[in-house]
Amino acid sequence: AIGFAGHATAWTAALPQPALAIPRFATRPLAGARRSQPGTAARRPSARSSAASRRALEPPPYAAGESHGALARLLGQGADAFVDTSFGRSWVLTRWSSPRLRFGIQDCLDLLNGHGGEEMLKGVKLVKTIVLGPGDEAFEKVSHPGGVQDHLVANRLHSPADLLERGDGWTFTSMLGSGATGEMRDFHGGLWAALGLPIGINAYLTPPGAQGLSVHADPHDVFVLQQAGTKDWTLFEDDYRTVQRELTLQPGDVLYLPSGVPHCAASPSNGSSLHLSVSVHRGPFCAAALLAAWLELGGGQASGNVQ
């Protein structure tokens, strides 16, 4: 068994031997009564005018092992409150005055143009959904790295202004793994330690008036972090046709979607949009995830022990 001093509220007592102690939210069913409770939208904090106030709204750098703080930074509540009210049950929208992570359109374009190294380019795709009429859509995808680079070169996409003028309706989807920056990687580790579940980060960069993916439901939970521009989201009922809610995400907003909620998203006609999609894969908890969370929290320094 592993003991975590100071984290008792996030971990259950050990199960009968030889089972491991596990986070009580790691085993929540994948398909629960997620819409038995309505989704909620928190009010956006009011903007301040002074420079000091604006600085206060900026998210502070992450520290490695900041576990419960990762969820609080996203949702304004700790792990236990989120698990008790929403996790795996209902969508939650929290509105903030500034992005949760420092990663903008120019940063994303720099990665796409090779400034982040070849490793970052392996998981890049181009997607486009064209709405032909009610219930009638055409979906296109370019997944070969050469095709993606050809699009970047042909349209000279190096800056936000370039994307605004010559985005051509294609959304860039980038698999960032544990993150493209030090801050993002620290956030990834903190969220992993808080939930004890596999975490992945993807970036979606969309030019004006475009929709990347058609209506779909993800097999995993998602935290959507709106980083730049706005994006219009539509949540559907299980029939994929009945609209449950329409939401416009502003920079700083965070939308949590449980697995299985049908949705689609599109950028406005007058601006590009960038959001990060943080996937959380709920399922059977394993020793590898437990070890990873323990190491992220500082290993033996957390006054725990391994027997």
Side-chain angles (χ1 to χ4, degrees):
I2 296 181
F4 289 84
H7 296 272
T9 57
W11 297 81
T12 61
L15 298 175
Q17 294 298 324
L20 292 169
I22 61 176
R24 59 189 173 86
F25 39 84
T27 54
R28 187 178 302 283
L30 290 178
R34 61 177 182 276
R35 283 186 293 280
S36 62
Q37 303 177 12
T40 58
R43 180 176 301 174
R44 178 186 298 277
S46 59
R48 309 288 182 85
S49 58
S50 68
S53 297
R54 287 196 297 271
R55 285 195 297 271
L57 292 173
E58 290 296 324
Y62 261 97
E66 185 181 357
S67 56
H68 290 349
L71 274 176
R73 182 167 180 171
L74 290 179
L75 304 171
Q77 57 182 319
D80 291 314
F82 170 63
V83 168
D84 290 339
T85 60
S86 304
F87 191 46
R89 296 180 178 132
S90 61
W91 60 267
V92 178
L93 173 61
T94 306
R95 298 194 181 276
W96 299 93
S97 296
S98 63
R100 301 294 83 201
L101 295 169
R102 286 177 281 260
F103 186 76
I105 292 178
Q106 186 63 64
D107 300 311
C108 192
L109 284 171
D110 288 344
L111 287 179
L112 293 171
N113 282 289
H115 294 243
E118 292 186 5
E119 190 66 28
M120 282 292 175
L121 300 177
K122 292 181 179 179
V124 178
K125 296 181 177 64
L126 287 169
V127 293
K128 178 193 289 188
T129 295
I130 303 172
V131 180
L132 303 175
D136 188 11
E137 298 176 335
F139 176 70
E140 300 179 36
K141 179 172 69 172
V142 177
S143 55
H144 191 277
V148 175
Q149 290 304 305
D150 288 345
H151 176 70
L152 284 164
V153 173
N155 291 280
R156 306 185 308 281
L157 300 180
H158 299 285
S159 70
D162 297 336
L163 186 69
L164 194 66
E165 296 174 5
R166 301 184 294 275
D168 198 27
W170 289 98
T171 291
F172 291 93
T173 70
S174 307
M175 298 176 62
L176 304 180
S178 60
T181 67
E183 181 191 40
M184 201 181 294
R185 287 187 288 271
D186 287 341
F187 163 76
H188 175 277
L191 192 59
W192 192 0
L195 296 176
L197 296 169
I199 306 291
I201 302 177
N202 291 349
Y204 290 80
L205 179 60
T206 305
Q211 178 180 326
L213 300 175
S214 57
V215 179
H216 66 284
D218 294 311
H220 49 260
D221 295 12
V222 175
F223 290 97
V224 178
L225 284 64
Q226 188 66 25
Q227 295 296 116
T230 65
K231 187 157 280 188
D232 298 320
W233 286 71
T234 305
L235 312 184
F236 296 88
E237 298 292 349
D238 288 335
D239 60 9
Y240 282 66
R241 296 186 301 273
T242 305
V243 175
Q244 181 189 157
R245 188 69 178 267
E246 294 179 333
L247 305 165
T248 296
L249 269 59
Q250 307 282 343
D253 291 350
V254 176
L255 174 64
Y256 165 73
L257 289 178
S259 62
V261 177
H263 61 275
C264 64
S267 60
S269 60
N270 61 348
S272 302
S273 176
L274 171 67
H275 76 265
L276 298 176
S277 176
V278 181
S279 59
V280 178
H281 298 261
R282 285 184 285 126
F285 195 68
C286 61
L290 179 61
L291 178 60
W294 180 68
L295 292 173
E296 182 64 35
L297 289 170
Q301 298 179 10
S303 66
N305 57 79
V306 180
Q307 297 178 349

